[in-house]
Amino acid sequence: VNAPILYQDRAGSRHGLKLILNIEEEEYTHLNPDPDIGIKFRVHDQDEPADINAEGIAVPPGYHAYTKLEYTKSDFLKPPWGNCGEVKLKYFKSYSRASCHLECLADSYKGQCSCRTPYMPGPFPICSPEHIKKCISKHTGKNRSTNVTCHCPNDCQIKSFHPQVTYAEIPIQHITAATAHRYGINELELEFLEYNNISINDYLRDNYVFLDLFYDDLSYTTFKENKAYDENQFISDIGGQLGLFVGGSFLTFWEIFEWSQIKAFLVIRKIIHEYKKGRRRTRKRFNSTPEDTERLL
């Protein structure tokens, strides 16, 4: 249903959503699959179908259910890092695992019964109550034993509300026709009760459910699955290792270059020193006097 999103601007049950529901017990028929009376409800995201059979919370008539909500949002990664994904659906605008399963089940019912139940999507007609009893119920039992295969990956984003329910009995002992409107009883119902001699208290206790949904805290929690080793870390590690390698190589090269320069300088210095020393000896030999020559003879 494309209804506008409602917001709660203050915490507490007095500022949430309040519903008064008349289950009309006298309208129940033998086609009801369960012998229970009351309602089942589930708080879920607008883009996700309500899987009442799996996660529905039951409230019997004659009770006021106070439902405290805690909103959390979880984000998961797609392969190869995570295990979530999505496929294109025919009857839903956005993907969710529950929508995928419901669409798969609707196509399976269409092939077996040529119709669908009221809560299923699709353009094909809705089954009549008798058709549901004869075909859908048998097909449902068959599916439970054969397990119809549906390719529905895990959700990449899950929005949860974690309802916590407490109950109080209704109504109070003394309710008059003047105060019955507070409980949602209209004039036609009052005339019906008076005509059939039914007390307002008994009628409320047998048919009415009060349901409050609210946040006790306006904050929420987000869980996010992150990569243990992402591209940025990989590039940083490569850069660090490369920098360390290049830096070490440069220092080694500089030390070798510096050592070779010093070694070359010492060798050249020694050569020059030997050259100068030999030159001094030759000059002394050629500069000797006649007296020195006679002395040698």
Side-chain angles (χ1 to χ4, degrees):
V1 180
N2 295 322
I5 299 177
L6 303 178
Y7 295 92
Q8 181 177 340
D9 54 3
R10 297 177 62 183
S13 61
R14 293 183 178 273
H15 307 284
L17 177 65
K18 295 180 178 292
L19 300 174
I20 300 176
L21 306 173
N22 185 352
I23 66 170
E24 297 181 346
E25 182 186 357
E26 66 276 2
E27 299 294 333
Y28 280 41
T29 67
H30 66 283
L31 295 176
N32 186 29
D34 299 316
D36 310 326
I37 58 172
I39 67 165
K40 276 188 175 181
F41 74 95
R42 179 182 178 234
V43 184
H44 60 94
D45 188 70
Q46 282 190 323
D47 295 328
E48 181 183 353
D51 191 357
I52 297 297
N53 291 328
E55 301 184 32
I57 300 173
V59 183
Y63 282 88
H64 190 162
Y66 293 89
T67 308
K68 182 177 71 172
L69 305 176
E70 295 179 5
Y71 177 66
T72 61
K73 184 173 71 171
S74 303
D75 295 322
F76 301 95
L77 294 174
K78 295 182 178 180
W81 303 278
N83 192 30
C84 76
E86 62 180 50
V87 295
K88 186 174 180 56
L89 302 179
K90 295 182 292 185
Y91 310 130
F92 295 94
K93 294 181 180 179
S94 59
Y95 175 82
S96 70
R97 186 178 174 87
S99 302
C100 179
H101 275 294
L102 191 60
E103 183 175 286
C104 177
L105 193 61
D107 289 338
S108 177
Y109 282 9
K110 177 187 177 184
Q112 296 290 331
C113 304
S114 301
C115 62
R116 61 184 176 89
T117 58
Y119 64 88
M120 290 181 176
F124 31 98
I126 297 176
C127 301
S128 64
E130 284 295 329
H131 204 176
I132 291 176
K133 183 179 179 181
K134 291 180 179 179
C135 183
I136 298 293
S137 299
K138 293 181 180 179
H139 185 56
T140 303
K142 183 179 178 181
N143 283 342
R144 287 175 181 171
S145 60
T146 58
N147 293 326
V148 175
T149 302
C150 301
H151 175 62
C152 297
N154 294 328
D155 293 313
C156 289
Q157 185 178 85
I158 298 177
K159 298 177 182 179
S160 305
F161 295 88
H162 306 288
Q164 301 177 26
V165 186
T166 56
Y167 299 93
E169 288 188 358
I170 59 169
I172 59 176
Q173 290 296 326
H174 303 289
I175 297 178
T176 63
T179 59
H181 67 278
R182 298 178 183 177
Y183 296 88
I185 299 179
N186 55 40
E187 295 296 331
L188 291 177
E189 287 178 307
L190 288 175
E191 294 178 2
F192 170 80
L193 296 178
E194 184 178 359
Y195 179 80
N196 292 278
N197 196 22
I198 302 174
S199 69
I200 298 176
N201 288 56
D202 292 340
Y203 184 72
L204 285 171
R205 191 175 296 109
D206 294 337
N207 292 276
Y208 271 73
V209 174
F210 287 18
L211 180 61
D212 287 11
L213 300 107
F214 62 93
Y215 292 102
D216 68 334
D217 190 353
L218 298 184
S219 62
Y220 66 93
T221 305
T222 300
F223 299 96
K224 189 172 183 179
E225 188 178 40
N226 295 316
K227 302 173 186 176
Y229 193 75
D230 59 11
E231 294 86 351
N232 293 331
Q233 290 176 321
F234 176 74
I235 294 174
S236 298
D237 288 346
I238 292 296
Q241 296 293 335
L242 185 62
L244 182 63
F245 175 76
V246 172
S249 300
F250 178 77
L251 290 176
T252 303
F253 174 78
W254 179 257
E255 288 176 355
I256 294 174
F257 176 76
E258 187 179 15
W259 176 84
S260 62
Q261 291 293 320
I262 296 173
K263 189 68 176 178
F265 174 76
L266 293 176
V267 171
I268 294 172
R269 183 181 176 183
K270 185 176 180 180
I271 293 173
I272 294 174
H273 178 71
E274 293 294 334
Y275 174 76
K276 288 182 178 181
K277 187 177 179 181
R279 190 174 180 183
R280 281 196 301 268
R281 288 178 181 176
T282 305
R283 185 181 300 173
K284 186 176 180 180
R285 186 181 300 159
F286 284 105
N287 291 338
S288 59
T289 61
E291 292 80 4
D292 294 332
T293 305
E294 290 178 357
R295 211 179 281 152
L296 291 171
L297 294 174

